[in-house]
Amino acid sequence: MSASPLTPLDYIATGYWQDFLARRAVAGGIAYEVDLHHCGLDESLASLQRIDTLLSQIRRDMVKAGIWDEATLLKDERYRNFMVFLAFYAGRVLAQQWQQSPRWFGQFELDARYPELVLTTDDFYQHMAMFYGADTDVNTKDSSDKDNILLFFALEPIGMRLFGHIDRAFKSAQGDQVASGLYQAVSARLPKAVNHQPHLVDTTIADKPNTQTANEKAFIEKVSPENSSTSLYSNSKSSIDMATTQLSDDKMGNVSSISATTITSVPLAEYIEITNATVVPIVEPVKTTAVAKKPPTPEIFSQLLTELHEIEVTQTTGETEYEKACKVLDQFERHIAKQEKPRKQVVFSEAHLQAKQQALLGLEDAANAGNSAAMLRFAMYELLGEGLIANEGADKVAGIEAGVEWVQQAASKNDSRAQRLLSKMYYQGVGVTQDLKVGKYWLEQAAENGHIEAASLVGQWQQAQTLINTQKQEQHSLKRYQLLFAVIIVIALLIIILV
């Protein structure tokens, strides 16, 4: 059977993408359009991670500015266009993984094709979905089983990332749990033969003196003291570091014309001076279709880095040293996150390693001053075997022990992030002997200090305990009723016999 005709949304999605590449204005405008260009939208899975980072930053900025109001923002056409564009883009990435063309359905088409889906008419996030199967399957797909419908409601994870919290539960049109970001949502829908990791080239950072490209020179100008008043985590509209998270705009626009077997990396400057306003210029290579086996950074630590950016804990000391160190270390983490191999196998030049060493020393100073965020970040590197102790050639065990001590010290300062990390360490046996009771204790401490995830887990545990206790009581009551019923029968029999 031939493929069904294109829908109006198909044309709109194509138009949005062509206008974006040509830098033409979209009717009504798009919020954060400059930031989107800086995200390096090359239709790779890794680009979805950069979008998720942007969404998290936007959420933090809106909270700080006091404009974090979902209903109000959805009335703004620029914000709606922003979210719709991201949905269209995520659909392109997913369709490419399936080697198909994205097919978009609005509510009218969804109601007609999939009547078993109970869609909420006034729910913005259920207004459209993408079918990512073969074109010829659009009309022939058996939709009797909701779990087998190849539909992607791409607006749902965007809404979750921007507005989701414990009191704002997002309801999925397909009944499953809404993913907390586009990368997670798309990864869950990849073909079975595809590993759910970013498709990135396996490269190392070149150490080539006196070979700066135009891109590098532009970057050095961007991070020079006179141009660096805006921090990476400021409330500025350009909230993503423009020079270190993507290729230049001229290369980004032509990325589709590059062969899948082409491997291109941008050489870096050899000599890097670390000042209050200078960060290490780690420039990403062009992406290819190599498949990663697993994330380079363990989830327990990647989650910690996310929480350090998203959960604010008031610090009284070491804030300047911490922020300065993070500017450098964040460059390394962004580069490592895009690799398809373990952290230990990612190679850096001697100049970059020296820059990282200086940043770790600054982090240690902030931690010694009492900054709990610095304690946690410093502990992470020690636990990973990348800290100062490992660099000094000391025993690996010594680094792990030091890392655990730093986490414990931060937890003792009632830092909910540290308490949540410590609970994971005890639950999983990371750096410590596995102890579920101690893990539960620190989980409860984190919940008491306002950690949303910990509070949710504690609440679920308490609900489970209540259910178990209720069942026990019901079973006990049933046994009592059975015994009472037996006694009544015996008494009745005695009465009949005696009478």
Side-chain angles (χ1 to χ4, degrees), residues 16 19 24-30 77-78 81:
Y16 265 51
D19 288 343
R24 292 192 295 264
V26 173
I30 297 181
E77 186 176 9
R78 295 175 64 253
N81 285 344

Side-chain angles (χ1 to χ4, degrees), residues 202-438:
D202 181 5
T203 63
T204 58
I205 295 183
D207 181 12
K208 299 181 180 179
N210 303 322
T211 57
Q212 287 185 357
T213 65
N215 289 336
E216 290 177 67
K217 293 178 180 179
F219 173 78
I220 297 298
E221 293 175 359
K222 290 178 186 292
V223 298
S224 61
E226 60 269 21
N227 293 318
S228 61
S229 59
T230 301
S231 168
L232 175 63
Y233 302 108
S234 70
N235 289 333
S236 168
K237 185 174 184 293
S238 296
S239 56
I240 301 298
D241 193 329
M242 296 165 57
T244 60
T245 59
Q246 68 284 322
L247 298 171
S248 62
D249 289 336
D250 56 332
K251 287 192 175 183
M252 180 185 69
N254 296 322
V255 70
S256 60
S257 64
I258 298 175
S259 168
T261 59
T262 301
I263 297 178
T264 305
S265 61
V266 181
L268 302 176
E270 180 181 21
Y271 301 104
I272 304 165
E273 180 182 0
I274 304 300
T275 67
N276 287 336
T278 307
V279 294
V280 184
I282 298 179
V283 183
E284 296 179 10
V286 175
K287 313 300 185 297
T288 72
T289 56
V291 179
K293 294 183 178 180
K294 61 180 181 179
T297 302
E299 183 180 0
I300 187 174
F301 296 122
S302 60
Q303 182 63 32
L304 171 64
L305 291 175
T306 300
E307 291 189 356
L308 285 174
H309 289 319
E310 293 187 351
I311 302 176
E312 293 189 6
V313 175
T314 302
Q315 305 291 337
T316 57
T317 56
E319 188 68 16
T320 301
E321 293 83 357
Y322 174 71
E323 291 182 353
K324 177 184 173 182
C326 285
K327 285 182 180 180
V328 177
L329 295 172
D330 283 345
Q331 307 298 322
F332 285 89
E333 293 305 322
R334 281 196 289 269
H335 181 77
I336 291 172
K338 295 171 178 58
Q339 305 307 302
E340 57 172 5
K341 53 190 176 182
R343 295 174 63 96
K344 292 289 187 182
Q345 297 179 17
V346 180
V347 179
F348 295 96
S349 69
E350 186 62 31
H352 285 86
L353 293 177
Q354 292 177 3
K356 184 177 181 181
Q357 178 79 357
Q358 293 179 25
L360 289 174
L361 289 170
L363 207 58
E364 184 182 37
D365 290 340
N368 286 325
N371 188 294
S372 62
M375 295 177 188
L376 288 173
R377 184 118 189 206
F378 189 71
M380 182 192 80
Y381 290 109
E382 295 292 3
L383 290 169
L384 287 169
E386 302 174 12
L388 296 179
I389 293 179
N391 293 340
E392 294 170 358
D395 191 314
K396 180 180 179 181
V397 175
I400 293 176
E401 291 177 348
V404 172
E405 289 178 3
W406 279 117
V407 177
Q408 290 174 334
Q409 186 173 339
S412 68
K413 296 173 71 68
N414 286 331
D415 189 317
S416 65
R417 303 165 301 187
Q419 292 167 338
R420 178 65 182 116
L421 174 61
L422 198 54
S423 73
K424 291 181 180 179
M425 291 168 64
Y426 275 105
Y427 274 123
Q428 301 175 21
V430 176
V432 296
T433 302
Q434 189 176 39
D435 191 325
L436 301 184
K437 289 185 178 179
V438 177

